[in-house]
Every structure is written in structure tokens, then in C-alpha cells.
Amino acid sequence: MPATLERYPLITELAQLSDAAARRGMLRRNRRLHSPEVVDFLYEEVVRLARVDLRQADRLAQAAAWIAERLEDDYCRAQGLRAAGHVLLIRGKYAEAVQSYRSALALFRRLGRDEEVGRTLYGGSLQALIYLGKYDEAFSWALEAREIFQRLGDELRLARLDNNMGNILYRQDRFEAALECYRRAFESFGRKGEAQDVAITLRNMAVCHISLGDSGKAMETYQEARAHCERNEMPLMVAEADYNIAYLHYQRGEYTRAVDLYQSTRKHCEKFGDPYHKALCDLDQSEMYLELNLDEEGAQLAEKAASSFRELTMRYEEAKALTFLAVAASHRGRGSRALQLFGQARSLFARERNQVWVALIDLYKAVVLYKTGCYEKARLLCASALAFFSKSSLESKAALCELLRARLYLQALEYEKAQDACLDALKRVGEVEAPIISCQAHFVLGQVRELQLDRKGATRAYEKAHALLESLRSHLKGEELKIAFLKDKLAVYESLVWMCLGGERGSQRKKAAFAYIEQAKSRSLADLIAFKSLDVPAHTGPQGRLTARARKLRTTLNLLYRQIELVETDPRDHAGSRLESLRRAVAACEDRLVKVLAELRGADRQFGVLENAHTIELEAIRSIIPQDSVLLEYYQARETVYACVLARNALEIVPVTTLNKIRNLLRLLQFQLSKFRLGPDYVNRFAGALQSATSAHLKDLYNELIAPVRHLLRAEHLVVVPHDFLHYLPFHALHDGRSFLIDSFSVSYAPSASVYYLCCSKPAASSDESLILGIPDSFTPHILEEVKQIASMLPNPRLFVGDDATENRLRAHGPGSRFVHIATHGLFRQDNPMFSAMRLGDSQLSLLDLYSLQLSSELVTLSGCSTGLNAVVGGDELLGLVRGLLYAGTRAVLVTLWDVDDRSTAEFMKAFYGHLVSGSDKARSLQLAMREVREIYSHPFYWSPFVLIGKT
């Protein structure tokens, strides 16, 4: 305990008193505290507590100011002002902090206290000036402080000044020079310095490493800083380090790790009173969720962040939060709300004199106005944004404005002007690496030429858009970002399929159409499964080194992309040179990644899909289809539903029906199935009517989807590849009036033909062990009976029930199990499918959690309610538990499409595993089990919710 605390133990109590009146009362009663010595000590405690407990630091700063006024002492007043400046700085109130520091400086100078003048001129005061962009004043203060400390021979403060000089150089993008200052300071602190000095310098060095593109060194330095802060009991700086590590994971595209760290950091900030970093967690996570198409959660966090930054009077950060909130509103179709929020954000950015963001907001508003049909207002705002970006170095943003102009001209049927705007957009990005914009420009150009009846010109433009779209797959910042990107790009594939199938239909055109269909479907998941190989530690030697290089290059690219986004919204004059440097770094890194992936491909053909530029070839897919099987793949283009029938030696593509007709029929079927939620009394009372209505809808769907191609289905097994909402349809239960489809064929499913190929190509599990987890409750009492029965049938079973069926058990035993059976409730989040989950004994296991699993199972079965439900988003990507399990490595998944009946499910699973262990393959076992259960429960609700996805 410091000597002063021993003499004045009431200071500890004072710091803990949250009520200001109570603190003043304590100070009045204890006149021993009314002295300059106590004010000095209070100041030092504020400096210490500012990184430990900001609320206590603020209370002591107020106490110092109160004592100073009682003493009527200018030295004490200056100490109180400097303490207040530190608190304001940590809270992000930079302008108010500088004013406090200036007032303290004036008093110290008048008193001739040179050492105190020097102490005030550096440190927090310099940092506040840097945040405010007052670099000239910051340099001036730093030089004056250096002169004072050199005269006094103060080595420690000279080292701290080096740290501050590094901050100034960093803000001017002089990263190498800044890093040299930080290293010099770090060496000095190693000889003579406090724990907080070391922590701050390590953090600054990590930030420098990020800007220099070395994310590995940055992560290593952040981890070193965190460990240092924990050893020295600095909880606020531990929270700050956790925030920085989370943000680096986010920048590198490692979303699962980022989410976990943001959540723990937020709790840490709440505990120790750090509203600034808590708000930053909310802001960053909201942006990440919006990138992942999780608009609801993104909006909630953006709203919290905006409120927090408003309280902290941090206008720039508040404006960013409002912008994210507006984007979420726009995504959810709330145009007027989005425009209102964009307007508020624009006003704040204007007050901050950030014209880049002002112009961006104008562009965002123009897009919303275009989508809501306010074309003239959109045109005016687009022109305003274009006028600004045309004079800046941000050619890509100007090109986006040109693209919006093209769409506006297209809407007004001004084809020539639309074409010119597209060509202008392409010219603008000619010197910039902007394939997304070029892709969009060629696509709009294709639309223009199609409307001008120039079929060949339209096809050429669509093909250019397609080539750019395919090349983009390896350039996007993270696998889920591909979904966000593809959400608005499906029209490219639709247009090309339409062009291929709209005229003459030779075999080459059918093959081309099928290739485009495959490229449109579940490509992100296919890429994920292929890239999973890069995470397997078994690779050694040259191939291991190549995979490590590929991983490092991908994370470096993610970091560089994020840096470009940040610099593009930087209002400083010199941001253009930094932007050009980053673009060169991106081009070089992408070139290296392509070469490494090519080497990997040559080293092992297993990695042939890693370049992402092509789907798996048609002949490769054919080679994996068994002789007695047919792949039946659906696709919709421009409201027409096509069926592709692919066998080993044949390919046919047939237009079968219209999208609206199928959508309405599926809704009617789902309405009938939903009636089973009304309970057994209702179901028993109206059993006949329910059966009749359901059968009628299943027959109508059969007539639309199966009958037109039934003569082509010459096989014993069907692999059905649905599209869009057809993923929710039990094809095996479709009825031709005499029998169900499952009576004529065994049926399995796949998200795409490429994913089916990858599932079939995975090596078989080497073990012969089984893992069974059961979580029974009062609503599903038959789960216990089910898992015990299955454990008695499967080889070498490990059975865990109730609280023992934990996530740790799954992680420990799942990787080595050939069969994994989990009987539990599934929770499908339509609002936020990335957080769809299944309940285990001690936790909810979400899709994000499944991504970190390593499985090599022959089959994973989820026998609970709605475990097979998915959200179908851009690129026909499925977001749900199936996606996570296929990515984790399993060859096949057995799940349910709706809330199942507990008793009939137990009987189904008993029959299914009985046939499986007797030697039937998975699809045949499924077919036989459905027939047996149908003998007892005739309604499809009971026997048809089960779908097998992947290898049969």
C-alpha cells in the first residue's frame, strides 16, 4: 500500500463513493485531506485508476478539483485540471480534454513549474491533439516537452515522449518511422518504466504492424500486451487488448473468434467501467453482422453503439453507428426509416467536416430512393455524390455513382445514356483493382443490350460479368461475405442460363447452362469444404508449407481489404497515396495467392477447387454418380423452373413450371403440416380431412415438378438438388395418385452437385466407433428410449444423456466416431440463421460453433425438431445446421424438415439403424424405414420429415 494511502485511508473509500454529495460531505468532514500533498496523490491515483477503473478515477479527479478550490491554490487547480483531462481523454471527449490540458498548462507556466509544464505537454494531451487532427500543435508541444526533459535528464519521460511522437507519425501514415519510435521507447521502458508504459507501447507497435500488413506479428504483439496487462493487474487494459485482438480477428475474416472475444470484452468493460471500448465492440460487431446478412442483430448493436457514442459526445463514431443502422433498415425494406437515419448520420459527418462520408451517405440515400421508386430525387443525390468523388482519388466510388446513373437511365428507357454510364464506370476503374464494379457494369450493359434486342451483345456482356464474378470468389474478405456479395448477383447466372436455353439447345449449350446453374448454387459451401483441407494439421513437408502460406496470404488479403475500406473514408488530404499503396499490396498478395494455390493444385489434385475460378467439371460429377442413380437438379431463372436430369451418360434440361405456381403449392402444403401443432385432439378429430388435403397438394406438386421429367428418371436412386424455397419440400413424399416417389426410388439430397461430389470424395471414417447424445425433456420423453435403443444397435457406442451430453463430449469423441447421433431440439433462427442451434446438455451449439468442429463421420443424425431447416440466401446458400456439419467434415447428414412427433421419430430411427447395421446403404435404409413407419402412421407428417443429405 502506498504511504499516502496509509496516512489517508479515506481516499480508497472516497474513490468508491458513487454519490457526489456524499463525496463532498466526506471531504468537508476530513480537513486533513485539504492539502497540496493530497492533491498530488489524488492526481497520481487518477493516472493509475484511469486504466483500471475509470469511474473511480473520475471521482478522485473531481475530489482534487474540489480541494483545490477550497485551498485557493493555482498549483492544485492545475493538478485537478490535468487529472480531469486524463479522464476526458479515456472517455473519448478529446476537445474537452485539450481544453483542460491547456488550462493546466497556463497555470503551471505562470507558476514557473517547468517540470509540470513538460509533464502536461506530452502524454494524454498529445494523444488528444492527435485524435483531433491538430498535428502541428502536437509537434510543437512535443518539441517543447523534449527540451524540458533533456534539460532535466528525465530518461523515462523522454521514452514516453518517443511513444507519443510515434503516435503522431502513425497518424501521418509514416508507419516505419512510427515503429522505430515505438521500439526505441520499448527498449527504454524495459530498463526504466512502468507496467502501463510497456502495455501502451506494445499496443501501438501492434497497430503499426497491422498497417504494414503483418497481421501475424500484430497478433503476436497484442497477445504479448494482454499477458503483460494481466500479470500487472490492469483490467481495463486487458479489456482494451481483448478488443484489439477481436478487431484483428474481424479484419482477418475470422468471425467466430471475433464474436467470442467481442462478447467477453463487452462484459469486461461493463464490469470495470469502460463505456468507450464497450461501444466500439457494439459498433464493430454490428458492421460484421451486416456483412453476414444478419440485419436484425446488426441493427440492435448499431442502435446501442449510437446511443453510447452519443453519451460520450463522439460524433464520428455515432455517425458510423447510425449509418449501419440505416443500412440494416434498408436491407429490411424500411426505406423511409433508412433515409431518416442516413440524414442524421450525414449531419454528424458534416459537423465533423468529413466530406468523404457526406458524399457516401448521399450515394447510399440515392440507392434507397432508387429502390423505393423516387427516381428524380435519387438522380439529384447521385449527381451530388459523383461531383465529389470525381474530384477525389476514389475512382471506385465515382464508378458506383455511374452505375447507379446507368440503372436510373435504364429505368427511364434511355438506353444510350445507360450504356454510356456503364462505359464511364468501366473507364473509371480501369486503373483500379475493382472487379466487383466491373462485374456490375458489364451486367447492366448486358441488360441494356438485351432490351435493345442485341442478343449476341447481351451474351458477351453477361459472359464478361460472369468471368469477373467467378474471379471474385477468391478475393472476398471471408466465406460468409461471399453470400452477401452473391445475394445481388444471381441475376448474372439467371441471364446466362436464360440465354443458353432460350434459343437452340444443342448439347454444348445444355452443358454450358448446367455449368452456370452449378456456379450459382452453394458455391460458398463448396469452397468451404475444399478449403477445410487447409486447416487439417496432417499436411507436412512441401504441401504443409504451401497450405500454411495459403492461409497466411488469405488472412493478409482480408486485412488489406479492410484497410482499404478504412482509408477510403479518411478525410485527410494524403489518404490518396496511402490508398494507392494498399492497392498495390493487394494486387501483389492476390498474385502470390493464385500462384500458391496453383502449386497446391499441382501437388495434390484434391485441391483442384481451391482456385475458386471454376466449379467441379461436369465429367467429374458424372463419375461420382452410381450407375443406378440419377441426379435431379432444379433451378429457377426469370420465374421459370428448370429440371436438370444428369446421369453418367446423359444430360437433359427441361422447363417444368413457373415459380409462383410452385411457391403457392408449397405454402398450401406447409399450412396443412402446420395444423399438427394444434395438438393430438385436433389431429385425431380431423385426420381424414388432413390426409386428403395433404395428399392433394403432394399430387399437385408431383404433377408440376416430377411428371414432366418422370420418363427420364431411369434409375433406382435419385439425388435431388433443390433450389431456393424447394429446399423446404419433401420430394420423396410427392404422390402421383397411386404411390409416393419414395416407393419408386430411394432419395437423398444435396445443396449442389459440387457439394455432392465433395461429400462422396471424402475418405471414409477409419474408426468403427459411435457417439450417441440424448437430451430428453418433458416434451420429448421418448428420446431416452430412442438413444438407448440406438446405442444397443450401433458399433462401439458411447452414450451420454441429459446433462452429460455436453459440447465437450461432442468435441472429444465426435472426431473419432463413424456414426454420430444427437437426439435433441433444434432451434432454427429465420431472423438470424447463423445462430441456428441445437440444444446440448450444457449449452446451445450454433452454426458458428459447428464451423470449429473436426468430423470425419460417415453419418451425423440430428433427430430432433426442425434440425434440417435452413435459410436460403444469395447464391442458393443454405444457412443452418446442415451447412455447419458438412463443413465440419461429415460425409452425410440425416435431419428433419419440420417439428417431428417424438414417438414416431423413435420408431423411425429404430427401423433406420436396424437396416443400416444389417448392410443396407443409408438411402436404402431410409426408404425401408419410411415404408415401415408409414404402415403405423399413414400421414406424411410422421414418416416424411427425414432427409438424407450427402453421400448415400
Side-chain angles (χ1 to χ4, degrees):
M1 179 184 290
T4 311
L5 275 182
E6 291 177 358
R7 289 184 60 192
Y8 305 111
L10 288 176
I11 287 178
T12 301
E13 185 179 344
L14 188 68
Q16 294 171 348
L17 276 176
S18 60
D19 184 72
R23 289 197 301 274
R24 289 194 295 271
M26 178 182 288
L27 288 170
R28 288 191 190 96
R29 290 191 300 272
N30 293 275
R31 292 184 175 274
R32 290 177 60 208
L33 299 178
H34 299 187
S35 72
E37 179 192 27
V38 172
V39 172
D40 281 341
F41 176 70
L42 287 172
Y43 170 76
E44 297 300 336
E45 278 294 280
V46 168
V47 173
R48 184 182 69 83
L49 286 170
R51 297 289 179 178
V52 178
D53 191 319
L54 191 57
R55 286 170 292 200
Q56 290 191 29
D58 188 23
R59 293 162 193 162
L60 294 187
Q62 292 178 41
W66 188 91
I67 293 171
E69 291 307 315
R70 277 300 180 101
L71 295 173
E72 296 183 352
D73 183 291
D74 280 348
Y75 170 79
C76 293
R77 287 188 177 109
Q79 283 285 56
L81 285 164
R82 191 163 60 183
H86 292 336
V87 173
L88 290 165
L89 172 69
I90 301 298
R91 284 188 167 161
K93 299 183 177 182
Y94 306 125
E96 295 172 53
V98 167
Q99 187 56 48
S100 284
Y101 290 132
R102 282 180 178 146
S103 299
L105 268 176
L107 290 171
F108 284 135
R109 282 192 173 117
R110 194 166 70 205
L111 294 167
R113 304 289 293 263
D114 281 357
E115 182 178 357
E116 300 305 328
V117 168
R119 291 180 67 185
T120 310
L121 282 168
Y122 88 114
S125 60
L126 284 186
Q127 200 62 45
L129 287 170
I130 291 167
Y131 284 138
L132 293 170
K134 299 179 181 292
Y135 303 116
D136 291 341
E137 190 173 1
F139 268 118
S140 173
W141 285 23
L143 289 173
E144 185 181 351
R146 183 175 292 279
E147 183 182 328
I148 292 171
F149 296 144
Q150 284 175 338
R151 189 169 65 246
L152 296 172
D154 193 331
E155 183 182 349
L156 176 59
R157 291 201 173 97
L158 284 170
R160 289 173 178 168
L161 193 57
D162 275 335
N163 206 11
N164 295 133
M165 289 295 292
N167 293 344
I168 300 173
L169 291 166
Y170 176 83
R171 292 288 286 192
Q172 295 182 315
D173 294 343
R174 297 162 63 184
F175 305 123
E176 292 286 1
L179 191 56
E180 184 56 38
C181 281
Y182 294 143
R183 284 173 177 154
R184 193 164 59 242
F186 185 71
E187 289 173 7
S188 296
F189 290 141
R191 296 189 301 271
K192 185 178 182 180
E194 297 180 4
Q196 185 170 304
D197 294 321
V198 175
I200 291 170
T201 307
L202 284 170
R203 177 200 63 196
N204 292 343
M205 290 169 69
V207 172
C208 246
H209 286 308
I210 290 173
S211 296
L212 289 168
D214 192 344
S215 66
K217 190 65 177 175
M219 185 65 76
E220 180 184 317
T221 309
Y222 274 140
Q223 296 286 6
E224 184 181 351
R226 190 194 191 284
H228 171 82
C229 294
E230 200 161 42
R231 282 196 306 271
N232 289 278
E233 297 181 350
M234 296 185 289
L236 276 181
M237 295 201 76
V238 170
E240 181 180 328
D242 279 342
Y243 164 76
N244 288 325
I245 293 168
Y247 186 59
L248 183 53
H249 281 306
Y250 170 33
Q251 288 184 305
R252 288 168 29 152
E254 298 160 348
Y255 296 126
T256 306
R257 295 179 184 177
V259 168
D260 289 343
L261 265 178
Y262 278 134
Q263 290 172 343
S264 62
T265 304
R266 195 179 284 110
K267 292 177 182 176
H268 206 125
C269 291
E270 287 173 353
K271 181 178 179 180
F272 293 101
D274 185 353
Y276 171 62
H277 283 100
K278 178 176 178 291
L280 280 180
C281 288
D282 291 338
L283 182 68
D284 293 347
Q285 205 169 339
S286 71
E287 184 178 16
M288 181 169 62
Y289 280 170
L290 291 176
E291 290 176 355
L292 298 174
N293 294 315
L294 307 178
D295 298 328
E296 188 68 34
E297 267 75 4
Q300 291 173 3
L301 287 172
E303 194 160 19
K304 287 174 62 179
S307 176
S308 298
F309 287 125
R310 193 175 303 121
E311 290 181 14
L312 294 168
T313 63
M314 300 179 71
R315 288 194 295 265
Y316 175 81
E317 287 80 2
E318 181 190 352
K320 281 190 71 174
L322 288 171
T323 300
F324 297 157
L325 198 54
V327 169
S330 175
H331 287 177
R332 291 182 288 174
R334 300 174 185 174
S336 59
R337 175 63 174 158
L339 291 171
Q340 177 190 4
L341 291 164
F342 277 136
Q344 293 174 19
R346 189 187 191 282
S347 297
L348 289 171
F349 283 129
R351 288 174 64 187
E352 293 291 294
R353 299 180 181 177
N354 191 322
Q355 292 304 309
V356 177
W357 267 106
V358 168
L360 271 176
I361 295 294
D362 283 345
L363 176 57
Y364 294 161
K365 288 178 69 176
V367 170
V368 174
L369 289 165
Y370 165 73
K371 289 180 177 178
T372 54
C374 301
Y375 301 120
E376 190 54 39
K377 290 181 180 178
R379 197 186 302 264
L380 291 172
L381 276 177
C382 182
S384 172
L386 179 59
F388 175 84
F389 289 125
S390 295
K391 297 173 184 176
S392 74
S393 61
L394 304 180
E395 288 290 349
S396 61
K397 297 292 187 284
L400 283 174
C401 296
E402 295 283 13
L403 275 175
L404 181 56
R405 287 179 68 216
R407 294 181 186 277
L408 287 162
Y409 285 134
L410 194 61
Q411 181 276 329
L413 307 181
E414 298 181 66
Y415 301 144
E416 293 299 327
K417 289 183 179 179
Q419 177 176 287
D420 290 344
C422 288
L423 295 175
D424 286 343
L426 288 168
K427 287 178 186 175
R428 288 186 181 278
V429 296
E431 301 300 321
V432 179
E433 185 70 21
I436 289 179
I437 297 170
S438 298
C439 171
Q440 292 175 339
H442 283 298
F443 175 67
V444 177
L445 196 57
Q447 289 181 308
V448 171
R449 288 177 177 162
E450 190 174 352
L451 288 169
Q452 291 175 321
L453 304 181
D454 179 5
R455 190 177 184 86
K456 288 185 178 179
T459 300
R460 283 196 299 271
Y462 289 142
E463 286 173 345
K464 287 181 180 178
H466 165 262
L468 288 162
L469 180 58
E470 288 296 293
S471 73
L472 280 167
R473 294 183 187 277
S474 62
H475 298 173
L476 295 169
K477 291 182 285 295
E479 69 91 5
E480 294 300 349
L481 284 187
K482 296 176 183 178
I483 296 175
F485 170 65
L486 287 171
K487 191 173 184 179
D488 298 323
K489 306 302 179 291
L490 294 180
V492 174
Y493 298 106
E494 287 189 35
S495 297
L496 283 166
V497 171
W498 185 263
M499 291 292 174
C500 286
L501 301 178
E504 298 178 2
R505 293 194 195 176
S507 62
Q508 290 306 311
R509 295 182 71 81
K510 283 190 289 188
K511 288 181 180 179
F514 183 81
Y516 292 135
I517 288 170
E518 264 302 290
Q519 288 163 5
K521 299 176 72 171
S522 289
R523 276 295 302 280
S524 178
L525 178 56
D527 291 347
L528 262 180
I529 294 170
F531 268 108
K532 183 75 169 180
S533 305
L534 299 183
D535 295 324
V536 177
H539 294 309
T540 57
Q543 186 167 297
R545 288 193 292 272
L546 285 173
T547 57
R549 284 175 60 195
R551 280 198 301 271
K552 184 176 180 181
L553 286 167
R554 281 173 64 82
T555 55
T556 299
L557 266 179
N558 292 338
L559 193 66
L560 288 169
Y561 292 139
R562 185 69 61 187
Q563 292 289 299
I564 285 177
E565 291 175 5
L566 294 173
V567 174
E568 282 184 335
T569 55
D570 191 330
R572 293 176 291 172
D573 293 337
H574 61 276
S577 60
R578 171 70 176 145
L579 199 57
E580 193 57 40
S581 173
L582 283 167
R583 285 170 180 158
R584 287 195 299 269
V586 163
C589 192
E590 287 178 339
D591 184 59
R592 289 197 299 272
L593 178 59
V594 168
K595 289 177 181 176
V596 170
L597 293 178
E599 289 182 65
L600 266 174
R601 184 179 174 190
D604 187 344
R605 293 299 297 175
Q606 176 187 350
F607 294 89
V609 294
L610 289 182
E611 286 183 273
N612 296 322
H614 303 282
T615 47
I616 293 167
E617 297 293 335
L618 175 62
E619 293 310 314
I621 295 171
R622 276 180 166 157
S623 71
I624 213 75
I625 300 174
Q627 288 287 358
D628 62 348
S629 301
V630 164
L631 189 142
L632 177 59
E633 180 159 3
Y634 289 89
Y635 184 70
Q636 67 90 6
R638 299 186 181 181
E639 298 301 311
T640 297
V641 178
Y642 293 90
C644 308
V645 181
L646 178 65
R648 283 210 165 210
N649 301 309
L651 169 64
E652 293 294 336
I653 303 180
V654 180
V656 293
T657 186
T658 63
L659 198 64
N660 280 337
K661 186 180 291 186
I662 295 299
R663 183 182 285 112
N664 291 334
L665 286 173
L666 179 58
R667 284 173 180 164
L668 291 171
L669 174 64
Q670 290 175 327
F671 174 68
Q672 291 301 321
L673 295 174
S674 71
K675 291 181 179 180
F676 282 79
R677 298 174 187 166
L678 299 174
D681 291 341
Y682 177 90
V683 171
N684 292 333
R685 182 180 177 189
F686 297 103
L690 285 172
Q691 184 101 20
S692 176
T694 302
S695 297
H697 300 324
L698 290 169
K699 183 179 179 182
D700 289 341
L701 285 161
Y702 180 97
N703 290 335
E704 296 296 326
L705 292 169
I706 301 297
V709 294
R710 180 61 181 84
H711 63 290
L712 300 173
L713 305 181
R714 296 182 285 271
E716 295 178 7
H717 177 71
L718 291 184
V719 181
V720 179
V721 180
H723 187 220
D724 201 82
F725 56 82
L726 291 180
H727 285 284
Y728 307 136
L729 178 64
F731 279 84
H732 53 275
L734 299 187
H735 198 270
D736 65 2
R738 297 181 302 277
S739 61
F740 295 97
L741 195 66
I742 196 68
D743 294 327
S744 302
F745 308 92
S746 59
V747 180
S748 66
Y749 296 81
S752 73
S754 296
V755 171
Y756 175 69
Y757 171 90
L758 290 166
C759 289
C760 293
S761 301
K762 291 176 183 176
S766 57
S767 76
D768 200 25
E769 297 180 345
S770 305
L771 174 65
I772 303 101
L773 305 177
I775 300 90
D777 57 29
S778 59
F779 298 102
T780 54
H782 293 282
I783 280 182
L784 184 58
E785 171 192 339
E786 173 189 328
V787 294
K788 286 182 176 180
Q789 183 70 47
I790 291 167
S792 70
M793 302 167 73
L794 287 177
N796 302 312
R798 286 189 179 94
L799 172 62
F800 301 100
V801 177
D803 292 342
D804 291 331
T806 64
E807 180 178 340
N808 285 338
R809 304 278 195 202
L810 177 60
R811 292 188 181 278
H813 303 299
S817 296
R818 181 183 175 192
F819 298 107
V820 176
H821 183 97
I822 306 175
T824 183
H825 288 295
L827 173 64
F828 174 66
R829 295 280 302 276
Q830 181 69 52
D831 62 316
N832 192 341
M834 287 293 289
F835 291 93
S836 295
M838 54 182 166
R839 184 165 65 87
L840 295 181
D842 61 342
S843 64
Q844 295 274 357
L845 193 72
S846 73
L847 169 58
L848 285 172
D849 297 322
L850 289 174
Y851 278 7
S852 63
L853 275 178
Q854 293 281 357
L855 297 175
S856 57
S857 309
E858 179 70 24
L859 174 68
V860 175
T861 300
L862 304 182
S863 70
C865 296
S866 304
T867 51
L869 285 183
N870 299 277
V872 184
V873 295
D876 201 45
E877 295 293 347
L878 304 181
L879 287 185
L881 298 177
V882 171
R883 179 185 183 83
L885 288 167
L886 291 177
Y887 173 57
T890 185
R891 301 177 88 195
V893 183
L894 180 60
V895 289
T896 61
L897 285 178
W898 54 77
D899 291 348
V900 293
D901 176 73
D902 183 37
R903 183 183 294 275
S904 61
T905 298
E907 295 186 26
F908 172 86
M909 291 298 166
K910 177 182 175 182
F912 170 75
Y913 283 108
H915 291 293
L916 189 63
V917 297
S918 297
S920 296
D921 65 29
K922 295 186 285 291
R924 177 62 174 164
S925 299
L926 187 74
Q927 181 186 40
L928 294 173
M930 284 185 179
R931 288 180 182 173
E932 290 177 25
V933 173
R934 202 169 76 210
E935 291 296 319
I936 308 169
Y937 304 94
S938 60
H939 196 286
F941 171 82
Y942 297 102
W943 60 264
S944 70
F946 309 101
V947 291
L948 177 67
I949 300 169
K951 173 76 168 64
T952 58

